[in-house]
Amino acid sequence: MDYLGKYKSAVAARSTCSEVLAGSQDGGIVTSMFIYALEEGIIDGAIVAGQGEKPWQPKPIVATSVEELLSSRGTRYNVCPNMSVLKESVRKYGLDKVGIVGTPCQIQALRKAQLYPVGLRDVCDKIALAMGIFCMENFSYQSMTQIVQDHCNVDLHSLKKTDIGKGKYWAYTNRGAVSQIPLKLTHKYEQPGCHVCLDYVANLADISTGSVGSPDGWSTVFIRNNNGENIWNKAVAAGIFETKPIESVKPGLELVTKLATEKITKNQKELEHRATFGVGKGLRNPYI
Amino acid sequence: MANKITVGHVHMSGCTGCLVSLADNYEGLFTILDNYADLVYCLTLADARHIPKMDVALVEGSVCLQDECSVEEIKETRERAAVVVALGGCAAYGNITRFCRGGQWNQPQHEGFVPIGDVIDVDVYIPGCAPCPQQIRNVCVMAYLLLKGTPEQQALAKAYLAPLMALASEGSKATSSEACGCDIMTKVINQGLCMGCGTCAASCPVFAITMEEGKPNINRDMCIKCGACYAACPRAFFSFDVVNQYENILGIIDGAMNPGGN
Ligand SMILES: Cc1cc2nc3c(=O)[nH]c(=O)nc-3n(C[C@H](O)[C@H](O)[C@H](O)COP(=O)(O)OP(=O)(O)OC[C@H]3O[C@@H](n4cnc5c(N)ncnc54)[C@H](O)[C@@H]3O)c2cc1C
Ligand code: SF4
Ligand code: SF4
Ligand code: SF4
């Protein structure tokens, strides 16, 4: 099994834009990349997780301005169906060059849609930049509420940032308090569909990024294909990102590989379990 | 090119929108007809009156059981075509004709309509109402590679077509030829497989699916039973063998559609 997917190079990186970094989850890779791509005409809009109706509930939006991209920074640890506005992005918004950010499953959905476009006329040829984010698991909005308000004892309105790392779920408040709970307590709230997911680092994206492997404030970045490499190299040459060889940072790819292996092995077991779930019958396996 | 495959378009109880979708490949359609396929039958575009022998039959529309000629034609299609493709939601799943119930001037007895898989075995499904031009194009290119390509190309085409063939063999059982927004519930959410990506909502032609709290919600009175949502869902079918090669496959299709290399 290819735990990290195909890639051309891997680096540790962060945005050189302090405004992006002020509100981004990690190194601001996704937001800076989209801002650069928008300004250079590589994309004419990007599907990102905008602000939903409730606090910390994301809503997929088609961002066509720097302001919209900036206000969509940061990880919301609950489901944001980014693929749901894909058709709209080329219809209502008239985009010809679509950028999209997504968790590994969303990037899988995107590539499947490009190969087997059903109900997505004229969309598949217009994907210009797919940014993948690492993902171990996701939560429903109700689950996030439960974790943050009940377990961490933080009101969603005072929440500044949440993060999963070092075996803990962290909640930071606007007034500077930090609350953390063992990740173990959150397991039962995970989205069940995540338990059959066999991708940790968005193997099918043009460029994928996450926090694991690099120091705080930095991101681990995989540059995966020709399209990703082209755009990444131009952005680095334009001074959008600071980079370090991934070998020079701690804990580096070793930890990424370890976590990817754990996720995939665990979820493969779950698929096996599903196959013999009942008495003489099993549950459906989507992977054919 | 002598090496072309022969293709026919068979119009059952359809709206011709599927054929329009094929035509909406614009110059791509000419590339297909110039290089890969001879259109040997298509009442809308050519004069051939009777269903000939052909490599691939693209069948759109469902079958009216009370229309003898239709029933005969779909059977003839099966006899004369090596590969039968259900083109679009009506041929594959019945789609809007699922709601037919007769009683209309001037054939009030025309009330029973079934997807073609209820009458004949179907090899490949191209779901969607309308099916996407790009999906039809991809199947055309892959069908050509399957029938005329090198062993390596044949293997790739087989792998690509496999999920669409699996949909067809499932849909060709009379007990499971129905498609509905409910598929998203029964075969994905109820099975613990949905991860909230939203692809189903994007693919629905009538906006019957909205994402509520990260999960699809289906307005079943709006649903026209086209089957797009389930076919598009990455948790319906997902082949790593195929999708991991997306760049290669999209490159092959691109290359095939630009034979001059422009
Ligand atoms: C559910 C989830 C689980 C994750 N798990 C891990 C993990 O296990 N290990 C790891 O290293 N990294 C994980 N990440 C990725 C990490 O949290 C950051 O998103 C990533 O490092 C990008 O940071 P950035 O500073 O480059 O991006 P930013 O510039 O902050 O931009 C983040 C982008 O992600 C989008 N986004 C935010 N929330 C969602 C969402 N719920 N769904 C889809 N898009 C969203 C935003 O709109 C924005 O475009 C996870 C992210 C999510 C959403
Ligand atoms: S764990 Fe997998 S299925 Fe769940 S949100 Fe992350 S990428 Fe999607
Ligand atoms: S496409 Fe499938 S996995 Fe995605 S939201 Fe719809 S049902 Fe769930
Ligand atoms: S919900 Fe929409 S996409 Fe799904 S079958 Fe019904 S009409 Fe088709």
Side-chain angles (χ1 to χ4, degrees):
Chain A
M1 185 81 197
D2 190 2
Y3 295 106
L4 301 183
K6 269 196 239 158
Y7 60 91
K8 291 175 174 272
S9 57
V11 291
R14 72 172 172 196
S15 168
T16 52
C17 173
S18 53
E19 200 189 348
V20 169
L21 287 175
S24 64
Q25 186 75 11
D26 297 305
I29 306 300
V30 178
T31 304
S32 279
M33 198 69 233
F34 280 151
I35 292 176
Y36 172 75
L38 188 65
E39 289 180 338
E40 291 300 305
I42 296 165
I43 57 173
D44 37 33
I47 298 170
V48 293
Q51 308 299 334
E53 274 134 43
K54 303 178 195 165
W56 287 89
Q57 185 177 46
K59 179 179 103 186
I61 61 161
V62 183
T64 52
S65 69
V66 173
E67 293 69 40
E68 285 169 301
L69 288 170
L70 282 174
S71 65
S72 308
R73 285 167 301 173
T75 298
R76 267 61 50 77
Y77 280 106
N78 63 97
V79 176
C80 185
N82 284 355
M83 284 292 288
S84 65
V85 295
L86 185 64
K87 188 157 68 179
E88 211 173 311
S89 72
V90 307
R91 297 280 191 288
K92 205 153 110 192
Y93 291 80
L95 305 192
D96 284 321
K97 291 172 277 183
V98 180
I100 180 167
V101 59
T103 48
C105 59
Q106 296 176 339
I107 303 296
Q108 288 180 343
L110 177 76
R111 297 313 185 192
K112 177 180 166 181
Q114 285 183 280
L115 289 170
Y116 300 99
V118 178
L120 293 167
R121 177 185 165 135
D122 293 350
V123 174
C124 50
D125 300 339
K126 294 190 174 151
I127 309 302
L129 176 58
M131 296 292 296
I133 48 186
F134 303 178
C135 178
M136 188 58 87
E137 73 276 305
N138 207 346
F139 301 90
S140 66
Y141 183 69
Q142 294 82 347
S143 287
M144 175 163 172
T145 313
Q146 189 79 8
I147 294 167
V148 173
Q149 303 206 147
D150 192 10
H151 289 276
C152 296
N153 203 20
V154 168
D155 190 273
L156 280 176
H157 292 93
S158 17
L159 187 67
K160 185 176 178 207
K161 180 173 179 168
T162 52
D163 203 8
I164 293 177
K166 307 181 185 79
K168 298 198 163 65
Y169 191 103
W170 304 80
Y172 302 86
T173 72
N174 287 321
R175 284 167 165 252
V178 186
S179 193
Q180 37 112 331
I181 55 163
L183 208 48
K184 222 173 99 203
L185 292 178
T186 68
H187 289 333
K188 69 173 173 188
Y189 301 116
E190 288 165 3
Q191 172 175 238
C194 293
H195 297 154
V196 298
C197 174
L198 303 177
D199 186 345
Y200 177 54
V201 287
N203 295 352
L204 299 174
D206 294 325
I207 297 170
S208 43
T209 184
S211 55
V212 166
S214 295
D216 285 352
W218 286 73
S219 295
T220 301
V221 183
F222 292 102
I223 295 106
R224 297 199 175 273
N225 57 18
N226 290 338
N227 185 44
E229 190 175 47
N230 255 333
I231 300 173
W232 179 259
N233 287 347
K234 275 194 227 159
V236 171
I240 306 298
F241 298 112
E242 240 183 295
T243 66
K244 287 184 195 171
I246 193 73
E247 299 74 27
S248 73
V249 302
K250 288 270 176 260
L253 288 191
E254 206 180 308
L255 182 61
V256 187
T257 310
K258 179 173 169 271
L259 292 177
T261 310
E262 279 174 18
K263 170 176 178 176
I264 292 161
T265 313
K266 178 171 114 310
N267 290 348
Q268 258 163 348
K269 279 217 185 85
E270 171 67 14
L271 281 161
E272 281 162 29
H273 171 61
R274 289 173 57 92
T276 55
F277 191 88
V279 180
K281 45 178 83 177
L283 298 171
R284 205 169 65 74
N285 183 345
Y287 304 119
I288 52 170
Chain B
M1 216 184 275
N3 216 15
K4 288 202 257 184
I5 61 174
T6 52
V7 176
H9 171 260
V10 179
H11 199 300
M12 304 301 293
S13 294
C15 72
T16 331
C18 296
L19 181 64
V20 172
S21 281
L22 169 65
D24 279 350
N25 279 294
Y26 300 104
E27 60 274 24
L29 176 61
F30 296 128
T31 305
I32 291 172
L33 295 179
D34 282 345
N35 299 290
Y36 311 113
D38 275 326
L39 188 66
V40 293
Y41 178 74
C42 177
L43 290 177
T44 310
L45 298 174
D47 239 355
R49 299 297 168 96
H50 298 288
I51 296 172
K53 263 183 138 14
M54 54 193 147
D55 293 322
V56 179
L58 300 170
V59 183
E60 80 165 270
S62 61
V63 185
C64 176
L65 301 179
Q66 291 78 30
D67 177 352
E68 238 176 84
C69 178
S70 283
V71 175
E72 206 171 295
E73 275 191 354
I74 193 65
K75 289 182 180 170
E76 273 172 8
T77 302
R78 181 66 276 181
E79 278 161 22
R80 294 177 194 174
V83 178
V84 172
V85 179
L87 175 61
C90 293
Y93 296 113
N95 203 31
I96 197 76
T97 66
R98 285 287 187 194
F99 299 89
C100 293
R101 45 185 288 283
Q104 284 181 323
W105 176 258
N106 61 355
Q107 300 288 352
Q109 78 285 14
H110 281 189
E111 65 177 30
F113 288 79
V114 292
I116 64 170
D118 280 8
V119 182
I120 61 166
D121 284 332
V122 183
D123 302 299
V124 177
Y125 269 15
I126 302 183
C129 176
C132 294
Q134 293 79 12
Q135 178 65 85
I136 307 174
R137 171 199 73 191
N138 294 359
V139 169
C140 286
V141 171
M142 289 297 165
Y144 174 79
L145 293 180
L146 185 70
L147 297 174
K148 304 284 180 185
T150 62
E152 199 182 305
Q153 288 169 327
Q154 285 178 339
L156 180 82
K158 232 189 188 146
Y160 176 87
L161 292 169
L164 303 177
M165 293 172 72
L167 285 180
S169 74
E170 188 61 25
S172 290
K173 298 178 198 146
T175 47
S176 58
S177 64
E178 187 198 358
C180 181
C182 299
D183 297 342
I184 287 298
M185 296 190 267
T186 55
K187 300 186 195 171
V188 188
I189 304 174
N190 294 169
Q191 286 282 312
L193 293 170
C194 175
M195 45 57 185
C197 65
T199 312
C200 50
S203 73
C204 179
V206 296
F207 303 104
I209 305 179
T210 49
M211 299 299 291
E212 311 291 346
E213 309 282 349
K215 288 284 138 95
N217 185 54
I218 293 110
N219 184 335
R220 288 180 301 159
D221 284 343
M222 283 172 76
C223 169
I224 57 166
K225 295 183 180 281
C226 72
C229 48
Y230 182 69
C233 168
R235 293 284 169 87
F237 66 83
F238 191 90
S239 156
F240 285 101
D241 283 349
V242 175
V243 190
N244 284 348
Q245 297 189 61
Y246 73 93
E247 275 191 285
N248 178 29
I249 295 174
L250 294 175
I252 287 170
I253 291 167
D254 222 38
M257 299 313 290
N258 293 288
N262 48 33

